[in-house]
Amino acid sequence: MTPPDTSGLEAALSAEVDGEVRFDAGSRGAYATDGSNYRQVPLGLVVPRTVEAGARALSVCARFDAPVLSRGGGTSLAGQSTNTAVVVDWSKYCTRLISVDPERRTCVVEPGIVLDELNRQLAPHKLQFGPKPATHSHCALGGMIGNNSCGASAQAYGKTVDNVRGLEILTYDGQRTWTGPTPPDERARIAAAGGRLAELYGGLDRIAGEYLADIRRGYPKIPRRVSGYNLDSLLPENGFDVAKALVGSESTLVTVLRAELDLVPVPPYQSLLVLGYDDICAAADDVPRLLEHCSPSQLEALDDRMAQLMREEGAYLDSLAMLPEGDSWLMLQYSGDSQEDVDERAHALLRAVGRDEKDRGIAFSDNPEREQKMLRAREAGLGVTARPPDDRETWEGWEDSAVPPERLGDYLRDLKGLFDEFDYDSPTLYGHFGQGCVHTRIPFDLRTAHGVADFRGFVERAADLVVSYGGSLSGEHGDGQSRGELLTRMFGERLVTAFGELKALFDPRDRMNPGKIVRPNPVDGQLRLGPGWRPATSPTHFGFPADEHNFNRAVLRCVGIGNCRSHSGGVMCPSYRATMEEEHSTRGRARLLFEMLGGHADSAIEDGWRSTAVRDALDLCLACKGCKSDCPTGVDMATLKAEFLAHHYEGRTRPAAHYSMGYLPVWARLSRIAPALVNSALHAPGLARAGKRLAGVDGARSAPVFAEESFLQWWRAQGREQPDPADPRTVVLWPDTFSTYFHPAIAKSAVRVLQDAGFRVAVPTEPVCCGLTWISTGQLPVAKKVLNRTLQVLRPYLEAGTPVIGLEPSCTAVFRADAPELMPADQDVRRLAGQVRTLAEQLVHHAPETWRPPQLARQATVQTHCHQHAVMKFEADEELMRRAHLDADVLDEGCCGLAGNFGFERGHHEVSMAVAELGVLPSVRAAAPDSLILADGFSCRTQIEEGGTGRRALHLAEVLALALDGNLPSDHPERLADRPPEPSRPARWATTATVAGLAAGGVVLGARRRA
């Protein structure tokens, strides 16, 4: 399908708006859907650099009669953030906290500021914005205002509407004003002034008056009524508050330019009480009784099905272990000004309901860290339920209904009956039970006509059910397209008519996010999938065993939660954190891959595997694998990128870096011919620059130095006899390229430590490689050949079950994760995946009980390699460091930014360093001079050394081996590390002179022959 001609609109926006204007296929594809079931390809994208630029963009769109959609974090679950419109993304630049008034407890913000970032900036004032959705790490305040967001803390602080004092708005036709409570005399002044503003306020007055009785009678009196426009805020008893009336209008009425927010004090003390129940309905039945005796700041619930999913996925097990006996749980958090107060409130509740803290069905904590772990199990709900281990697809659509808390138990029983009637087996039930709000994801079949018809039938029946209980279609996520068509069932014809009149008043041309709330698109229209979805399929190199051996299903893992847009903590997603670009997030890339499948006639990406838009979006993917562990649904973008690159370049010339760095293991082995000469050439003036240009290496990077003697050369020179593979003390030390040819001291140290622990070390003497560099550059057929050769060499050890000890985390991760996905049917690959261990895993779990690591009694700043974080985890390393008396500060600052070949490739240096400066490099610079800097990954060590830290990082094996020799130096202990020195200045210049001389001689010789 050909998109409409928008060239004139694009040209005008580019000429008149201070911002990034993009109408390319990649940008349109990345914004084609949100966290919902729906998909609409936008006309284009505007990323304004200022609020004024955003207002100007709306003016230009109005001139061209183009529909407009404002977007923040893009996590909407009801389809509010997807439309065939010009999308204005406020989240990259319009992120300022403009002012704070600590005495009045208010602040003014721009719409793109993220909630966690706002609260971080408010922390010095000991204030915060009260509502806190589960997406608090990446949801924008503008989106919270648009959706009337809530979260668990709404039990104490109410919905967003309850915390908005004023809004600066802009209508589609250009009226701009601040809104808020408007008493009669102020409205009279506005009317007397005339003009468009008087028309707006006069219309609001008329709607509020004409529908006064309907509003008072038709709006359910429950804590979580989010559906519909907030006409109740225009009632006289509510102060005719226009700002509050516009909250939750989902970009269908106005554009919010700035907001004045009410703030609340950060509670200094908290406690948590968890009560176990036989089932979720019994837990819901107990909510009214509990609320009679206490006023918690949160009252959350999760059921046995969610706990089962967590156990099956191996997720949040530490959280589950802290819960008391039961099959469902209520979590009550108390906040206050003293620990004694919050503790007593919890104990008072137990006394009032006849229960005791010693009961096996009770858990109490006033330890903040323990409380957060327990609450994490509840907050993880969407991610855990979105992609269950049984591989059913679950979807939103009825994920946030709300009823009066006193009727919650009976509502859940009827809802479960409805699930059974439609054969929707075992959806989870959890949520904000203290306010009667229920979350769930349901296994709708959204691929077939029959399944979609059942989906529609279910939500219509569910709407009637919740209305019969005096409830709301939405208790948190808004209406959008999921519930817009159902509003008449909840409010009746007259109030829905009033909604239409409000829409016509503010947006008479229906250009603001059309098709949502008023004159809504059908609940079963514009589906992301749908019976007409026909994605392309083709053979793949990876087997995708966790996704039914299907690339398309692997792409569909992304459901739009948006954790990849978080600003701190974990690893995912370093490129987004550096660029703040949607298409550089895991979600944005997954969206583009989805469009690449071409399942819809209007797919933004039309050239499949050859797509340059997809290639460009993936270009800045560091392949760090952070998303494999940090994404709630386990999207593995590194694997998807490798698969894409394999197809994209099939039969074509690749970028130079794919040959120079993809074949690094080959070049490393060839360096043994003359390592000193190779080093001199790689660092020679002029010659090095030309070599980097030819190799596709960024000019700002220095080539790593090859060791004069590799680890394998050293090993062979020892003349050691290879131990029997069947000996239970035998371990194979994996000679990875980095520890063999660049930092052999690490492998030597590992030999020493393993032998000290009583193991007999074997090292393969034939060439072996894990294939990492070919995998990361998408040269997957070569990677398979390399792995097959490696398996042949390792076969005696694989047959004997000998442990294989990996030192380089990225290589170890290949054996644990990539190789089994690349060759899922190969039995030796499966054996190797089960036998490969990190050094710490071997020493902690398999060393003799009598062995103790050397004692270091030293502080250490530790950077975990991203692949270790994602695949092997770091618990064994932490335990080994604890036993060695290392006071380890394990950084939670994300990726180092080098990420294998990524940071070396031309055009990546700026992003690579920007990622590093987000946390890793500043943390290393702040480390005490006598502390150790530990990084097991070659990339991490290189980035730290080249990043202007003045420090050098060591591998844990080196630190343990050095400690076997005695105490380390008190100042910069890394001085003892054995690293290959850079070639001397004379050697480098001599190499340049020699090459120049040879070149000149060749020229002269050629000239003589021509003469």
Side-chain angles (χ1 to χ4, degrees):
M1 182 180 294
T2 304
D5 182 12
T6 55
S7 56
L9 172 61
E10 180 183 3
L13 287 167
S14 299
E16 300 179 40
V17 174
D18 178 19
E20 299 167 13
V21 177
R22 307 174 193 159
F23 281 60
D24 60 283
S27 297
R28 294 169 61 242
Y31 285 80
T33 187
D34 48 14
S36 72
N37 301 340
Y38 303 99
R39 171 190 169 276
Q40 292 178 268
V41 180
L43 301 177
L45 172 69
V46 177
V47 185
R49 290 192 173 88
T50 64
V51 167
E52 298 306 318
R56 183 61 183 162
L58 262 71
S59 173
V60 173
C61 288
R63 203 164 72 230
F64 283 81
D65 200 38
V68 174
L69 163 63
S70 282
R71 178 160 159 152
T75 59
S76 297
L77 286 163
Q80 301 97 320
S81 296
T82 176
N83 214 321
T84 305
V86 174
V87 175
V88 181
D89 185 345
W90 300 92
S91 66
K92 184 174 182 180
Y93 297 115
C94 299
T95 59
R96 288 194 306 144
L97 168 59
I98 298 170
S99 63
V100 183
D101 187 335
E103 292 185 3
R104 293 174 63 236
R105 293 180 180 170
T106 63
C107 70
V108 177
V109 299
E110 293 180 339
I113 191 168
V114 167
L115 176 58
D116 272 5
E117 178 61 20
L118 170 63
N119 285 337
R120 186 190 67 78
Q121 294 185 42
L122 292 171
H125 304 289
K126 298 182 180 179
L127 296 171
Q128 64 180 357
F129 187 65
K132 188 178 181 181
T135 54
H136 53 84
S137 68
H138 50 285
C139 66
L141 263 294
M144 291 182 67
I145 292 166
N147 281 3
N148 195 9
S149 299
C150 307
S153 63
Q155 185 79 32
Y157 305 122
K159 306 183 291 287
T160 294
V161 68
D162 303 310
N163 295 269
V164 167
R165 181 166 293 202
L167 297 176
E168 185 185 13
I169 63 163
L170 176 66
T171 62
Y172 188 79
D173 55 16
Q175 179 62 55
R176 183 171 177 174
T177 186
W178 274 93
T179 61
T182 317
D185 58 339
E186 177 65 13
R187 300 205 296 277
R189 186 192 65 76
I190 292 171
R196 176 65 169 136
L197 190 61
E199 179 185 340
L200 290 174
Y201 275 81
L204 292 171
D205 239 336
R206 182 194 61 77
I207 292 170
E210 183 174 337
Y211 295 96
L212 183 70
D214 301 277
I215 297 169
R216 285 175 173 158
R217 187 171 53 245
Y219 277 65
K221 305 300 188 289
I222 59 174
R224 286 295 190 100
R225 194 279 307 160
V226 170
S227 280
Y229 289 136
N230 292 336
L231 295 181
D232 54 338
S233 293
L234 299 177
L235 294 175
E237 58 267 31
N238 294 328
F240 200 88
D241 195 321
V242 177
K244 292 185 186 300
L246 295 172
V247 170
S249 57
E250 302 179 1
S251 190
T252 63
L253 302 179
V254 298
T255 296
V256 174
L257 301 178
R258 296 180 180 87
E260 183 178 13
L261 309 174
D262 285 320
L263 305 175
V264 296
V266 176
Y269 297 96
Q270 294 175 328
S271 65
L272 184 69
L273 181 65
V274 184
L275 309 178
Y277 296 86
D278 291 339
D279 62 65
I280 195 65
C281 297
D285 287 336
D286 207 24
V287 166
R289 182 174 69 127
L290 300 180
L291 291 177
E292 285 179 10
H293 297 287
C294 69
S295 298
S297 55
Q298 294 186 31
L299 203 172
E300 300 291 289
L302 70 151
D303 69 354
D304 58 332
R305 174 63 176 157
M306 186 188 290
Q308 175 191 348
L309 292 177
M310 290 180 185
R311 293 187 186 101
E312 291 176 1
E313 294 179 23
Y316 306 98
L317 298 181
D318 54 344
S319 300
L320 290 179
M322 296 179 180
L323 299 181
E325 283 188 0
D327 285 328
S328 294
W329 299 268
L330 293 179
M331 299 178 166
L332 296 91
Q333 187 175 61
Y334 299 90
S335 303
D337 294 328
S338 73
Q339 196 65 61
E340 294 76 12
D341 171 52
V342 294
D343 290 358
E344 171 53 29
R345 286 159 62 190
H347 292 122
L349 174 65
L350 290 177
R351 291 193 297 270
V353 298
R355 300 186 72 170
D356 188 273
E357 187 182 339
K358 296 178 182 177
D359 292 351
R360 297 173 69 87
I362 301 290
F364 171 78
S365 174
D366 57 8
N367 178 288
E369 185 176 343
R370 188 164 182 263
E371 289 172 42
Q372 287 307 308
K373 275 192 176 181
M374 285 195 277
L375 287 170
R376 208 170 292 141
R378 158 58 195 93
E379 196 171 89
L382 174 55
V384 170
T385 59
R387 188 67 182 267
D390 60 11
D391 280 336
R392 292 183 307 166
E393 291 175 341
T394 65
W395 301 95
E396 62 88 5
W398 196 252
E399 82 292 342
D400 75 324
S401 56
V403 297
E406 60 272 16
R407 304 192 68 186
L408 182 58
D410 289 338
Y411 170 67
L412 291 184
R413 292 181 182 90
D414 285 346
L415 183 60
K416 293 178 82 167
L418 199 58
F419 291 153
D420 292 341
E421 183 179 335
F422 280 81
D423 199 25
Y424 293 142
D425 180 49
S426 302
T428 57
L429 293 167
Y430 63 102
H432 315 295
F433 277 23
Q435 295 195 313
C437 183
V438 182
H439 290 324
T440 185
R441 283 182 73 91
I442 302 171
F444 298 123
D445 169 14
L446 299 182
R447 296 171 181 257
T448 67
H450 177 74
V452 171
D454 276 353
F455 161 62
R456 166 178 274 279
F458 175 85
V459 296
E460 289 175 344
R461 292 277 302 282
D464 292 339
L465 175 64
V466 79
V467 170
S468 74
Y469 275 90
S472 174
L473 308 177
S474 172
E476 182 160 32
H477 300 150
D479 297 318
Q481 190 164 348
S482 290
R483 287 167 281 274
E485 193 183 359
L486 306 173
L487 288 173
T488 304
R489 294 170 182 266
M490 174 177 168
F491 289 102
E493 292 288 352
R494 271 188 58 82
L495 278 175
V496 170
T497 298
F499 294 165
E501 292 178 13
L502 185 69
K503 169 76 169 173
L505 177 64
F506 278 93
D507 181 28
R509 291 152 65 186
D510 194 18
R511 299 287 80 191
M512 297 291 294
N513 205 12
K516 319 295 178 179
I517 303 182
V518 171
R519 291 183 293 281
N521 295 327
V523 68
D524 53 355
Q526 292 85 29
L527 291 170
R528 191 192 308 183
L529 302 184
W533 183 58
R534 295 178 178 84
T537 57
S538 58
T540 57
H541 299 276
F542 282 102
F544 299 102
D547 296 288
E548 299 179 356
H549 304 281
N550 189 301
F551 175 84
N552 298 2
R553 189 158 172 77
V555 170
L556 283 173
R557 276 186 176 272
C558 178
V559 297
I561 297 170
N563 284 14
C564 47
R565 288 173 55 100
S566 64
H567 291 201
S568 62
V571 172
M572 179 181 72
C573 174
S575 56
Y576 173 77
R577 292 179 183 179
T579 67
M580 302 297 287
E581 289 284 353
E582 172 70 18
E583 64 184 88
H584 295 153
S585 68
T586 305
R587 182 180 71 181
R589 293 180 176 115
R591 293 291 179 257
L592 283 170
L593 288 168
F594 177 86
E595 293 296 311
M596 184 195 78
L597 300 177
H600 293 284
D602 64 343
S603 293
I605 305 299
E606 298 178 344
D607 43 356
W609 293 111
R610 298 298 198 195
S611 170
T612 55
V614 177
R615 181 202 64 199
D616 292 346
L618 289 169
D619 181 57
L620 289 185
C621 170
L622 282 75
C624 67
K625 286 189 176 290
C627 47
K628 184 178 177 70
S629 60
D630 293 1
C631 172
T633 58
V635 175
D636 184 357
M637 192 53 62
T639 298
L640 297 175
K641 175 182 179 179
E643 185 69 47
F644 173 84
L645 292 176
H647 293 274
H648 185 76
Y649 289 110
E650 185 176 5
R652 297 201 288 183
T653 302
R654 289 172 164 270
H658 288 199
Y659 302 107
S660 63
M661 285 176 277
Y663 280 79
L664 178 64
V666 175
W667 312 137
R669 285 200 293 273
L670 290 174
S671 74
R672 294 306 87 202
I673 298 171
L677 179 60
V678 171
N679 285 331
S680 295
L682 290 175
H683 295 83
L687 191 61
R689 188 182 308 113
K692 284 187 277 191
R693 189 177 298 114
L694 287 172
V697 174
D698 198 284
R701 287 289 177 187
S702 297
V705 180
F706 289 101
E708 182 67 27
E709 180 185 50
S710 73
F711 168 65
L712 288 176
Q713 289 172 309
W714 173 85
W715 178 260
R716 293 188 189 107
Q718 303 300 303
R720 303 178 194 234
E721 182 180 344
Q722 293 283 61
D724 181 359
D727 186 333
R729 296 171 296 169
T730 298
V731 296
V732 176
L733 184 63
W734 177 253
D736 65 83
T737 297
F738 308 99
S739 303
T740 295
Y741 297 104
F742 296 107
H743 293 170
I746 291 172
K748 297 176 191 177
S749 297
V751 170
R752 185 172 182 201
V753 173
L754 286 166
Q755 289 176 337
D756 183 73
F759 297 108
R760 302 186 67 197
V761 179
V763 177
T765 53
E766 295 181 57
V768 289
C769 183
C770 67
L772 167 69
T773 55
W774 286 283
I775 292 172
S776 62
T777 53
Q779 301 179 78
L780 301 181
V782 180
K784 287 182 181 179
K785 291 179 182 178
V786 170
L787 278 166
N788 274 318
R789 174 177 172 78
T790 292
L791 293 171
Q792 291 175 13
V793 175
L794 292 180
R795 187 154 293 153
Y797 301 104
L798 297 177
E799 291 175 352
T802 309
V804 178
I805 310 305
L807 299 175
E808 174 59 40
S810 53
C811 299
T812 311
V814 167
F815 293 142
R816 283 268 182 94
D818 298 289
E821 293 185 17
L822 197 58
M823 303 162 65
D826 192 295
Q827 293 301 315
D828 278 337
V829 165
R830 295 183 182 183
R831 293 183 184 103
L832 179 55
Q835 290 170 222
V836 71
R837 298 168 183 166
T838 67
L839 177 67
E841 287 171 341
Q842 183 67 21
L843 295 174
V844 168
H845 301 305
H846 303 283
E849 291 185 7
T850 56
W851 182 77
R852 296 288 180 271
Q855 304 301 289
L856 285 149
R858 187 69 65 96
Q859 287 186 324
T861 296
V862 185
Q863 169 64 6
T864 308
H865 191 284
C866 296
H867 289 191
Q868 179 152 3
H869 168 88
V871 177
M872 291 87 70
K873 310 304 179 188
F874 205 63
E875 287 82 357
D877 294 73
E878 291 181 301
E879 175 60 20
L880 181 58
M881 289 187 288
R882 185 192 67 79
R883 294 181 186 181
H885 291 187
L886 268 176
D887 181 8
D889 175 19
V890 180
L891 299 179
D892 186 23
E893 299 291 353
C895 182
C896 74
L898 189 57
N901 56 291
F902 175 85
F904 280 97
E905 290 184 11
R906 184 183 302 128
H908 291 174
H909 183 262
E910 184 178 349
V911 169
S912 172
M913 297 311 298
V915 170
E917 292 293 351
L918 289 172
V920 174
L921 295 184
S923 297
V924 172
R925 294 187 192 108
D930 63 343
S931 67
L932 290 159
I933 309 296
L934 294 185
D936 283 1
F938 177 79
S939 295
C940 306
R941 294 193 300 274
T942 302
Q943 187 81 313
I944 287 169
E945 189 167 344
E946 293 190 0
T949 64
R951 302 300 298 268
R952 173 176 285 172
L954 302 177
H955 193 286
L956 182 57
E958 290 180 290
V959 172
L960 294 174
L962 289 170
L964 289 172
D965 293 328
N967 293 328
L968 276 64
S970 60
D971 184 56
H972 288 71
E974 65 266 25
R975 289 185 286 126
L976 295 183
D978 182 9
R979 293 284 185 271
E982 286 195 3
S984 66
R985 181 180 176 86
R988 285 181 279 147
W989 276 105
T991 304
T992 300
T994 300
V995 173
L998 290 171
V1003 170
V1004 171
L1005 183 60
R1008 285 178 178 174
R1009 286 178 176 173
R1010 285 194 297 272

